[in-house]
Amino acid sequence: MSEPTRKNMRIDLDSLMNRLMTLGQDGALEGGGVCRLALSDTDKLGRDRVIGWMKELGLTVSVDRIGNMIAVLPGKEDLPPVMIGSHIDTVATGGLYDGNLGVLSGLEVINSLKQSGYIPRRPIAVGAFTNEEGSRFAPDMMGSAVDRGTLDLNEALAIKDAEGFVVGEELSRIGYAGEAEPGHITPHCFFELHVEQGPVLEEEGEVIGVVTGVQGISWTEFTITGVSNHAGTTPMRLRHDAGYAAAAIAVAARRIAGEIGGYQVATVGVTELDPNLVNVIARTARITVDLRNTDEALLQKAESLLKAAVDEIAESEGVTISSRTLARFEPVAFAPEMVDLIEATAKDLGLSTRRMPSGAGHDAQMFAPHCPTTMIFVPSQGGISHNIEEYTAPEHLHAGANVLLQAVLAKADEE
Ligand code: HGY
Ligand code: MN
Ligand code: MN
């Protein structure tokens, strides 16, 4: 195939949209959106569908012991593959695009090659990694972290969700406890196309986010033990209120984010009180705090400020507070030559670009220390994600997938 012909290859948008909408049926929620929590029955439905598409495309498919699904299209030479990866598990109130776009656009890159008959020098692999979200089983990016050796396989298999279900047992139950050893493929390089999940591209009117790296993530679960008592008869001076302590931690987290400023964010996503009754002072509380920053030193500062606040709350309210780290990943920077490639490829396609860090965690951040890695963002309407209203216009999906296609071909054919 001549260079110009290769340069003119494009993604079949109808096929991509059909795959996105069809996969969106697996775990579809009444009012729209998707719930495909990792290793659930709906995750199985999605996995079965995607593996079926991988096989329809004639790819060699492997499932590893943490359930990562990797499909390979052979190249002219038996070299380490160019890998395209992301995830198909979702949060409980997920959209159609988070993760799914990255996996399905990878299948469409393969589809375009099949349609054109073009065989690149290197093989091309498409990976759907287990439990990227971490909503049910922490940490997030579990499958890609195990693939890259960042998280020990047996440690991951033993992790439990809030109801006591175990990763290894759930993998077996849904039939995705594979045999391949995690990490059996070290890619030549790694690409992930993803919706931005934030407001920047839309606010600035740009189409392609040229992602320079991913910010650091710190998830902590606090378990607070106080004294349950009568809401009406217990004088304020005698209270040891786990519910109040949980609320005070949430206020402290928000204060700390404001004090540090910049990219610092803080989120309390889970608050559970026991016995959770209107007229009972809570005996125990479970609360999670998600801290993130692009700067590791500032993230550590946020963590130490939070610890000081929690210690002070425990002391003043007379409750005991224990903590458990659910996830902790340092910020990563993507390979400059890969970031430059995305920017140049987008400009070649006449698309506007903007360099930016990722606020969300992604499988790509696990590959960044191991091979040249980068991401491509496309706009999220209203900056909405982890929300059933998540939406990206088809022309933006197409733009991002075409940048992916051309950048993948450039790396697949390079000397
Ligand atoms: O939490 C995250 O950033 C990702 O969605 N797992
Ligand atoms: Mn994602
Ligand atoms: Mn997500």
Side-chain angles (χ1 to χ4, degrees):
M1 176 181 283
S2 68
E3 174 74 9
T5 313
R6 201 197 72 184
K7 284 265 187 188
N8 291 330
M9 213 187 292
R10 294 291 181 268
I11 291 290
D12 178 339
L13 178 59
D14 290 343
S15 181
L16 175 59
M17 294 310 295
N18 180 48
R19 291 192 204 271
L20 281 164
M21 297 305 124
T22 304
L23 181 57
Q25 292 166 18
D26 299 329
L29 293 166
E30 276 300 298
V34 185
C35 176
R36 222 172 22 241
L37 287 170
L39 311 186
S40 63
D41 292 341
T42 52
D43 187 25
K44 172 177 175 51
L45 292 177
R47 285 170 171 269
D48 292 349
R49 191 180 302 277
V50 167
I51 278 222
W53 284 334
M54 289 173 164
K55 291 177 178 165
E56 270 174 26
L57 286 165
L59 301 178
T60 307
V61 183
S62 70
V63 178
D64 72 20
R65 295 175 60 196
I66 195 68
N68 295 322
M69 310 183 324
I70 299 180
V72 181
L73 175 80
K76 288 196 190 88
E77 299 175 38
D78 184 16
L79 294 166
V82 171
M83 186 175 280
I84 303 162
S86 199
H87 61 95
I88 64 166
D89 66 299
T90 74
V91 295
T93 53
L96 296 178
Y97 309 97
D98 176 357
N100 306 309
L101 173 63
V103 174
L104 300 183
S105 57
L107 295 186
E108 286 306 326
V109 166
I110 303 293
N111 190 27
S112 296
L113 292 172
K114 289 277 183 180
Q115 299 296 328
S116 67
Y118 183 67
I119 302 174
R121 180 175 178 230
R122 288 180 175 78
I124 294 177
V126 179
F129 294 98
T130 295
N131 186 31
E132 187 278 343
E133 292 295 357
S135 304
R136 182 185 175 196
F137 298 102
D140 51 352
M141 286 78 73
M142 181 183 280
S144 48
V146 169
D147 178 284
R148 292 294 89 205
T150 306
L151 175 61
D152 174 75
L153 170 64
N154 291 316
E155 188 185 323
L157 292 172
I159 286 170
K160 293 181 181 173
D161 69 4
E163 294 167 75
F165 289 101
V166 186
V167 166
E169 293 169 12
E170 285 293 273
L171 271 170
S172 300
R173 184 181 67 81
I174 66 169
Y176 281 90
E179 291 175 1
E181 278 308 312
H184 64 291
I185 295 176
T186 293
H188 172 64
C189 60
F190 186 96
F191 292 96
E192 181 169 6
L193 168 60
H194 207 287
V195 290
E196 178 202 338
Q197 302 181 290
V200 175
L201 290 174
E202 184 180 67
E203 280 177 356
E204 299 192 6
E206 313 293 359
V207 174
I208 298 295
V210 179
V211 189
T212 53
V214 180
Q215 66 179 346
I217 297 176
S218 166
W219 287 359
T220 306
E221 174 193 71
F222 294 100
T223 301
I224 305 160
T225 306
V227 176
S228 191
N229 215 325
H230 194 296
T233 58
T234 311
M236 296 313 287
R237 59 186 168 81
L238 295 181
R239 292 182 181 219
H240 304 291
D241 184 341
Y244 167 77
I249 290 175
V251 170
R254 173 63 67 92
R255 171 180 53 77
I256 290 164
E259 283 170 10
I260 293 179
Y263 280 106
Q264 185 62 50
V265 289
T267 309
V268 168
V270 174
T271 301
E272 290 169 353
L273 302 184
D274 176 55
N276 205 33
L277 298 172
V278 62
N279 57 353
V280 180
I281 298 170
R283 168 177 49 208
T284 60
R286 184 171 82 91
I287 182 171
T288 62
V289 178
D290 175 328
L291 298 173
R292 307 200 194 191
N293 200 304
T294 53
D295 179 301
E296 174 62 16
L298 289 177
L299 183 55
Q300 288 182 19
K301 180 180 175 188
E303 288 173 319
S304 59
L305 288 173
L306 181 64
K307 182 178 181 328
V310 168
D311 291 347
E312 198 281 323
I313 291 162
E315 170 77 24
S316 62
E317 187 61 23
V319 295
T320 56
I321 303 180
S322 63
S323 68
R324 179 165 72 102
T325 299
L326 298 179
R328 182 60 167 93
F329 298 116
E330 293 193 10
V332 297
F334 289 143
E337 74 273 15
M338 293 285 280
V339 175
D340 293 346
L341 172 63
I342 296 302
E343 191 167 61
T345 304
K347 290 189 186 315
D348 281 351
L349 290 168
L351 300 167
S352 61
T353 63
R354 193 231 200 253
R355 288 188 174 226
M356 58 196 297
S358 172
H362 298 287
D363 293 307
Q365 75 189 88
M366 296 300 149
F367 283 84
H370 300 272
C371 65
T373 295
T374 197
M375 295 186 73
I376 307 160
F377 276 170
V378 287
S380 292
Q381 192 171 70
I384 296 286
S385 184
H386 284 191
N387 178 316
I388 64 170
E389 300 300 326
E390 182 184 88
Y391 178 78
T392 295
E395 62 269 24
H396 290 160
L397 299 170
H398 198 210
N402 283 327
V403 172
L404 176 71
L405 171 63
Q406 288 300 324
V408 163
L409 288 179
K411 292 299 285 184
D413 283 342
E414 73 177 357
E415 285 309 311

